[in-house]
Every structure is written in structure tokens, then in C-alpha cells.
Amino acid sequence: MKKILFTLILIFSLILIANPQVQPAQPPAGPPPGIQNQKPAAPDVFITTGTKSVDLIFRVNGRDGRLYQAYFGKKLANTESLKQSRDAGHPAYATFGTDNLFEPAIRAVHNDGNPSLELKYVSQSFETGTGGSSAVLNKILLKDPEYPFEVTLFIKTFPDEDVIEQWAEIKHTEKKPVTIYNYASSMLHFDAEQYWLTQFHGDWAEEMKMAESQLTAGIKILDTKLGTRAHMYQTPVFMLSLNGKSDEASGEVLAGTLGWSGNFRFLFEIDEKGSLRVISGINPFASEYSLEPGKIFKTPSMIFTYSAAGKGQASRNLHRWAQKYGVLDGTGSRLTLLNNWEATGFNFDEKKLTAILDETKLLGVDLFLLDDGWFANKYPRNNDRAGLGDWQENKAKLPNGLGYLVKEADNKGVKFGIWIEPEMVNPKSELYENHPDWILKLPNRPEHYYRNQLVLDLTNPKVQEFVFNTVDGMLTKNPGIAFIKWDCNRMMTNTYSPYLKDKQSHVYIDYVNNLYNILDRLRQKYPKLPIMLCSGGGGRVDYGALKYFTEFWASDNTDALERIYIQWGYSYFFPAVSVCNHVTSWGKQSLKFRTDVAMMGKMGFDIQVNEMTENELKFCQNAVTSYKRLNDVILHGDLYRIVSPYEENRAVMMYVNEAKSKAVLFGYILNARYGENFNRIRLQGLDPAKTYKIQEINVLTEGRRFGPSESGRSYTGDYLMNVGLNIGSATPLSSVVYEITE
Ligand code: GLA
């Protein structure tokens, strides 16, 4: 057996050397001390992956056959010196059980009880042009020499966007199932003087609070264990600055995000030599997975970009990538809308809604979005205590059904959208009465509610069918439905799947994969229908979900002052085209301030139009018109964060189109203390040689409250970027929006 294995390895090595994509290394200058008497090692093999400005280089060490990360960072002029280096690098996908002393990327217990895993390099290959993109998909196969257990590392590089996507596939053909305890998507290593971690955490209505701290020796973990609404406290994103803090325009930064809508974990471990390993993937907590022989365990994608020019560039890289590959129809346009959640709550009927359809038209937006409260009869959905799961129109509120509203909307020249929360159930519902076994809940324990509801057991194929049919049935019956808001209002607690029986530790993973299966099926049938992802606000914001969704609801908090910080936070990782912002009456700021804030992404309204004064209505109508003219720049342009609300009583950001012929600048005075000076700000991203005209939009029809206006002036890009504009005002909570045109 050993002989056969040895021959196989020899053949593999020969294939490797013959493969033109694999460049054998120069032999090292001489063996390091202590190994003089060992037999000569095979030559090292280098595998270079990367983008236009970044290299991620692996080395197969000829001495031990293992795969190492030899380099990750700014593109090297050439890799010859790297090949000369005696330092193999750091393990590319560290295992547990043999000689690894730190956190592993993977841990498995073989079917014979052997708790160790050894992974040796076998082969590599690559594909280009996957999905019509310029991406390169590199595959590196690793195998345990003693057990039929293998891991394929996938490294997909997007050259133009400077983004890398990494994931792993784990497989075995042992006689019985093998339990895997850790299964990272990626493992990256850094050797820097200092490491500064920026994290984004929060809670309902206070999402994406940004905090930066220096990492010290040992482990720091960012994770979630909430299962559903998984990102309520912690979004699966981080920025890591190397060798010191970075700012918007300078410093070395890694920006990373996991495409997974369930439990995730980012683990940062600094070892005794000051090296940092970053292990990203599904949170292995309470999630050991029994892998059947022949089945593939595919991890979600870790998506990351490296910028040598600060956080701004890192965000722009991710935005460009997300528009093309990360968000459904990310390069497309979006529908402006009027929503009724904050305006009416559950309290509406057909007559009221018909009037709102008229207001939708009056406002000039594209669509009316009917929120929660339209369904259930035995236990009507008149509050959040009943009805979830019974997706039939409530006869008292909508005697003529959704069909009537869809038709009415069409008659009035607007589109119609609808809210659903198909993964959930209220105990007070017919669904609960008829299918108590379709629900995640523990035996021998009282039920535990959050927002008076429970989570359906998506691991059960019958439940999957129910969720698919709920959405598909509604769309088949009402083909005029032009938009969906898909909500998910609770996390998992007392988690137990009646369907999974003795495999309870699979529930967090299987839930998410089955949710994706349902979304896959829906997207095959309705490929472009706009669907807003909502989870009590931003409880499920990640690129695993966003490939099925056109946009997400960033937060239930629509107070415009709070919203500046929340949208600021999301802007580090998610493009404006995906972030839904509504003008509401939650905050006490002026209508202008609230409208300006909502305009920074996908704009909507959730406000009582019939209570507006004539002037207010006119202002909003004009804002909608301006937005329709400018939304391409805002939704798809390059974002420059110029003044951070975390650093000043002011926030300024701007979007610039690719041709640098049009930009939109948003400026906000959050507070203005007596005598406070706001310095001129220098614009970014323009063409110095071009001359731009500044035009203020969203101008108040009465009583302007912002400091001296630059409107009507023309400046060169050179002037705007070196001398700058006055974006200051003595009025707290005032704002300005400039349209900047070549
Ligand atoms: C969640 C959403 C809100 C609204 C309500 C309806 O809280 O975040 O926008 O849709 O549900 O119940």
C-alpha cells in the first residue's frame, strides 16, 4: 500500500513539474542547519494568484509537501527574491492534530477515531472567464497522505476590482462519516509591526457602530451565534490596518467580509513572534458536522480586498466588485418607493391604501410598498402577536384581495410591492396549529419567543416547499407584484430541529443552505424581481444573501442623524445601490435634512404625504426628480468619504461617476458649537483638468439654513481638490447637496 502511495506521490510531483503554470523554485542557497543529513528535498513549487495590484502567493515546501502562504500584499515587481527566501511562509490552511500549535483552519476526526489531519499538496489548476467575468479561479488540491480525505482551496481573483474570493471544499471517501469541527473559508497571515482592527457592531436600530482597536497577542474573535437575524449584533465585516492605523486615503488595509447569512466567525490570533493569522468562516461553535463519504462540504466565500492607499480605496474596490458580482442586478437601476410601515403600522384598509396609491403617484416615486399587516384571518395580523405564517389576504382589510390593489396601482401608473416574512410563525396562527413539527423548538422546554414569534425549521423539505410556495404562489396569483420586502425578525433560541433528529449540530448550517436553495429556486423563476432584504433592519446583511437580493433595509432607525452614522458604517463594505434609506417622521430634523440623508443610497419615503404642506410636498417632488436625474452617479459612482461624523461635528461624502464628469456631494452639520469653525474641505476623485459647475439641489423653498452657498460657481477640479469648498454652517442639523457637473 505504502509503495503504491509513494509511486502516486512521485507521479503527482512529476506532473507538477511538467505543468507550465507551476514554476519550480530556484534551489535554496544551502540547507538550513540541522538538516544536512536528510535526503534532498523536492524543489519548492510556487503558485501565484492575484489581482492588478495584489499578489497572493503560495509555496509548496519541497521538504514537507505542505502548502504555505508565501506572500500576501502589494504586487511584487517580480517573485525571484521570494523564491530565494528560506522562509517557507505560514500554513495556508492549517490542520489540527499533528504539529500545529495555533488555531487551525480545519479540524476533523476520522471515522476510525484518529483526531489528526495532515494535508499535503497534490495539484493545482485554474480557469478563466468564469461567469463571463475577467476573474481567475485557482484551485489547489490538498490530501491527507494516510486517509482518503481532501480539501480543495478555491481562490477566485477579480483583477480589475482588486478583490479576492476564497472558499474551500472538503470531501472524503472514508468508510463511515467523518466529523469536521472546524472548516474555515480562508486563512490569511500577516507579518506587520502593528495590527489595528476596525469592527462594526451594534443592535436593533443602532447597526454598524464602528470601533477601532489595536490587536495584542492572543486571540480576538468577532462572531455571532444568533442563527437567523444573525448579524443583529455583529455584521460579518472587518477592516484590518497593518503597521499602524490607516485613514481614508493612506495606509495598508485588508477589508474582509464573509458571504454567509448565519453564524460567522473571524478569528485574529497573534503568535509569540508577532505574526497574525486571520481565520474566517462559518462559526464552528456548536456546529460539528458529520460529513457522509462522497459528499462535499462547501464553505461560504470570504471576500477581501487589500489596499495600500487606505480605507477609501478598499471600499471602492468592494463596491465595484459588489455591483458586478455581489449584489443581484448591482449595475441596474432601482425603484423609488413609498412604504406605509411608519405611516400606518398595522392600521389600514383597502380605502386607506387606495388613497396612498394616489399619494405615491403624487410624490412621483415608482412604487408603493405595502408592509406588514395585510394577511391572516383566523388570527388576523393586526399587531405583531398573531397571524405570521397565514399568508392569505385579511378579508376585513382587503376584501378584494391583493389583486385589486395591484390593479389599482396599475391604473394610477405606479407599481406595487409587498412585505412578507416567510421563515417565521406566530404561535397564534393556523400554520402553528396545523404543523407544530415544522418549527424550531426544544422538546421538554417552554417555547421562547422573540417579537412573539418562532422560526420555521428550514431543514425540513416540507417547510422548504411551504416557503417556496408561499412566495411563488403569491407571485403566480398576482404577476403584477413588482417588488418584495423579505423580512426575518428573530434570531434562533431554544434551537432544535424536529427534522434533524440526532444531527442537531447541523441546524445552523443546514438552515442557511436551505434558505439559499429556496432563494435559488425563486431566482430561477423570477431572476430580476427586486427584493429588499430586511431583518428587523440590518440583521442579515452579507454577500451570501445579497446575490439573491437587489437591496437591503439598513436599519429600522430612520432618524436622519442616527442614519448618517449607520449608512456611514455600511458604506465601508456595501455599495449605495444596495442600501435602502427612507424619509420618515422618526427624526425631528428638517424635511430637507431627512431627505438629503435618504438620498445617499436607494431613496424611498415612509411618511404621511397627506399631512405635508404644499411647500413640503413640492420640496419632496423636486427631490425625487433630482434623484432620478442623479441616481446613477449615487448608486454606481465611486464613493469618497471626506469628513467622518466620528471625527467632526460634520459629515461629508461624495460620489463621482466613472467618467469624472458628474459628482454629487452631501454635507451635514451634525452640531455647531458657538464659534465652531468648519474648515474648507478638499474634494476627491475629480479630474484636475476639468472645470466643474456647482449647483445646489434640494434647496429649501423657504428659509435657507445652510452657510454660504457655492451654487452657481465654476471651479477647476484642480482647485476643488487642492483648495476646496466651504461646507460649513452655524446651524446644527443643516445640510447641503451639490450637483457637480463638468
Ligand atoms: C421589521 C422591519 C420593519 C417592518 C416591520 C413590520 O421590523 O424591519 O421595517 O417591516 O418588521 O413588522
Side-chain angles (χ1 to χ4, degrees), residues 470-664:
T470 298
V471 184
D472 181 45
M474 198 172 71
L475 292 172
T476 310
K477 205 166 143 207
N478 305 289
I481 290 179
F483 187 93
I484 286 179
K485 174 177 178 185
W486 181 304
D487 216 332
C488 164
N489 273 314
R490 72 155 291 171
M491 70 294 284
M492 292 181 189
T493 54
N494 282 17
T495 312
Y496 180 93
S497 154
Y499 179 78
L500 285 177
K501 298 195 177 70
D502 62 341
K503 294 224 172 72
Q504 292 304 319
S505 62
H506 289 201
V507 68
Y508 293 118
I509 296 173
D510 287 0
Y511 185 97
V512 180
N513 281 328
N514 285 309
L515 171 67
Y516 290 163
N517 288 341
I518 295 166
L519 291 166
D520 263 327
R521 281 176 72 192
L522 285 171
R523 279 309 179 191
Q524 269 162 34
K525 207 161 163 192
Y526 310 98
K528 281 229 166 163
L529 178 79
I531 309 186
M532 179 204 286
L533 172 60
C534 178
S535 186
R540 184 188 264 169
V541 181
D542 64 83
Y543 285 116
L546 280 172
K547 63 172 185 250
Y548 302 106
F549 292 87
T550 46
E551 53 217 90
F552 67 86
W553 182 229
S555 176
D556 276 349
N557 191 337
T558 51
D559 176 304
L561 175 61
E562 295 300 325
R563 206 56 197 211
I564 287 177
Y565 292 87
I566 293 169
Q567 293 171 198
W568 192 268
Y570 280 115
S571 83
Y572 283 85
F573 302 90
F574 302 98
V577 68
S578 64
V579 188
C580 298
N581 310 320
H582 294 174
V583 180
T584 76
S585 302
W586 181 331
K588 299 291 162 258
Q589 309 85 11
S590 70
L591 183 63
K592 169 175 168 54
F593 191 90
R594 287 177 277 149
T595 307
D596 290 355
V597 172
M599 228 192 217
M600 287 195 290
K602 200 215 101 161
M603 183 166 75
F605 291 81
D606 189 349
I607 197 162
Q608 262 159 339
V609 178
N610 59 357
E611 287 184 0
M612 286 184 183
T613 64
E614 212 175 293
N615 265 335
E616 286 174 334
L617 179 62
K618 188 129 207 79
F619 172 81
C620 289
Q621 288 167 329
N622 286 337
V624 171
T625 309
S626 301
Y627 182 76
K628 290 195 169 169
R629 185 176 68 251
L630 297 174
N631 75 65
D632 187 44
V633 185
I634 296 169
L635 300 179
H636 306 118
D638 276 333
L639 167 70
Y640 293 86
R641 287 177 296 255
I642 298 183
V643 180
S644 166
Y646 283 86
E647 285 163 13
E648 274 191 34
N649 278 333
R650 171 170 70 164
V652 182
M653 59 154 74
M654 61 187 286
Y655 296 97
V656 186
N657 71 354
E658 212 173 341
K660 298 182 189 291
S661 58
K662 190 75 137 180
V664 185

Side-chain angles (χ1 to χ4, degrees), residues 196-212:
W196 288 85
L197 177 68
T198 309
Q199 62 185 85
F200 298 78
H201 59 266
D203 194 354
W204 176 77
E206 45 177 319
E207 291 86 350
M208 292 300 269
K209 289 189 290 190
M210 190 164 78
E212 188 168 25

Side-chain angles (χ1 to χ4, degrees), residues 349-351 353-354 370 374 377 392-408 416 477-478:
D349 58 19
E350 196 173 87
K351 202 167 145 228
L353 296 180
T354 313
L370 173 58
W374 57 269
N377 287 294
Q392 298 78 36
E393 293 98 322
N394 177 277
K395 293 211 170 77
K397 288 182 188 171
L398 305 180
N400 298 301
L402 287 176
Y404 172 81
L405 289 173
V406 176
K407 216 160 127 231
E408 271 301 282
F416 182 84
K477 205 166 143 207
N478 305 289

